[in-house]
Amino acid sequence: MIVYDSASCKDFLRLRGSVFPKAILHSIPSALFALLLKVTEYLGYIDTESWGIMKDGSVYGGITFTLGFALVFRTSQSYGRYWTSATAVHQMRSEWFDACASLIAFIKVSKKPEREKLIFEHTVVRLFSLLHALALEELADLRNENFPILDIGGLAVEDLRLINTPENEGRKVEFVFQWIKLYIIKAMDTGLLPTPPPILTRVYQELGLGLVHFHDVMQIVMWPFPFPYAQLSVVLIITHMMLTPLVICQWTWHWWWAFILTLISVVCLKALDCIAT
């Protein structure tokens, strides 16, 4: 998720997370093609007026309408998937936060020495912080995302090295999730957690529900939009990119306007496609 201020124009000018660089990059070939056609027509090498390619614009308008409808529908579906993911992420965080808070509350009534209780509290908070950060890292689609972790230096170096092994790649969340469960079990076995098992079970339920919400989001991240619909969108976009220069050249008199209008037309639809993707 990209945080921005809707009242600040400066936030809308940044490139990170923007669809315009990619859309413009894909639109430049069509715009250059329109420019080339108009220049060659100006030099007298070709006559686009004699081609009669969709001079009334009805066929081109039909293709553009179909493409626009397909992209708007796909964008609306993507927007729904976005809010489903955002809701699941917040539910994941709330479940894990409640589980962590319950463990901190349970340890307060323990009869063990204060030092042991303090070590348990600090370790639990750091493990849950690491669990949440790793979950967000798995879900993020932007590079160089830095999610805050609460004093990772407080955890054992040997344990942290295990997370970065090739065998745990893509399973880091489940790995730390199992750490937390084992740590709770060991605390129960040593008597550090005096909470009755029926009450402590609630912590495990919240841990599991948080992991379920995490996998709900992963399901959306892993499974792309249905291939036939995505294929149709790509074919329509390519067709639009090929026909737009030919049509714009018949509607304009100057090569500069042919370049600008073609670029704007293709960028608008390509940007919608990037958003939907």
Side-chain angles (χ1 to χ4, degrees), residues 47-215:
D47 183 14
T48 57
E49 293 291 334
S50 63
W51 293 355
I53 303 176
M54 295 176 290
K55 199 168 184 178
D56 59 351
S58 58
V59 177
Y60 178 75
I63 295 175
T64 304
F65 173 79
T66 304
L67 174 59
F69 178 81
L71 290 179
V72 169
F73 174 77
R74 187 179 177 187
T75 303
S76 65
Q77 295 297 311
S78 299
Y79 188 69
R81 286 157 61 96
Y82 167 79
W83 276 113
T84 301
S85 301
T87 303
V89 167
H90 279 278
Q91 290 174 335
M92 175 191 74
R93 178 188 179 277
S94 64
E95 295 287 355
W96 286 343
F97 177 84
D98 195 26
C100 182
S102 297
L103 289 173
I104 298 300
F106 294 157
I107 199 64
K108 293 296 184 181
V109 297
S110 175
K111 305 302 182 182
K112 292 291 183 177
E114 289 296 325
R115 177 175 173 78
E116 293 185 22
K117 293 162 59 175
L118 189 64
I119 292 175
F120 179 85
E121 292 176 5
H122 282 253
T123 304
V124 164
V125 170
R126 284 166 175 79
L127 285 175
F128 272 95
S129 174
L130 179 62
L131 177 67
H132 185 256
L134 288 175
L136 295 180
E137 183 186 23
E138 289 282 343
L139 301 174
D141 59 351
L142 292 178
R143 297 180 179 178
N144 300 323
E145 285 283 357
N146 296 315
F147 298 106
I149 301 179
L150 204 69
D151 188 21
I152 194 173
L155 300 174
V157 178
E158 294 78 9
D159 294 338
L160 296 176
R161 286 174 180 171
L162 289 175
I163 301 178
N164 293 321
T165 56
E167 294 79 8
N168 291 321
E169 191 64 34
R171 293 186 290 270
K172 296 179 181 179
V173 175
E174 290 82 357
F175 193 80
V176 178
F177 181 84
Q178 189 64 20
W179 271 0
I180 297 175
K181 282 194 168 186
L182 290 174
Y183 193 66
I184 296 173
I185 288 294
K186 289 181 179 179
M188 291 177 60
D189 185 57
T190 59
L192 185 60
L193 271 178
T195 311
I199 299 178
L200 194 59
T201 303
R202 180 63 182 172
V203 174
Y204 282 99
Q205 292 175 349
E206 290 170 336
L207 270 170
L209 286 174
L211 191 65
V212 169
H213 293 310
F214 167 74
H215 283 290

Side-chain angles (χ1 to χ4, degrees), residues 33-57:
F33 182 47
L35 175 64
L36 179 62
L37 287 177
K38 209 61 185 176
V39 170
T40 52
E41 182 186 26
Y42 176 78
L43 296 176
Y45 293 107
I46 61 173
D47 183 14
T48 57
E49 293 291 334
S50 63
W51 293 355
I53 303 176
M54 295 176 290
K55 199 168 184 178
D56 59 351

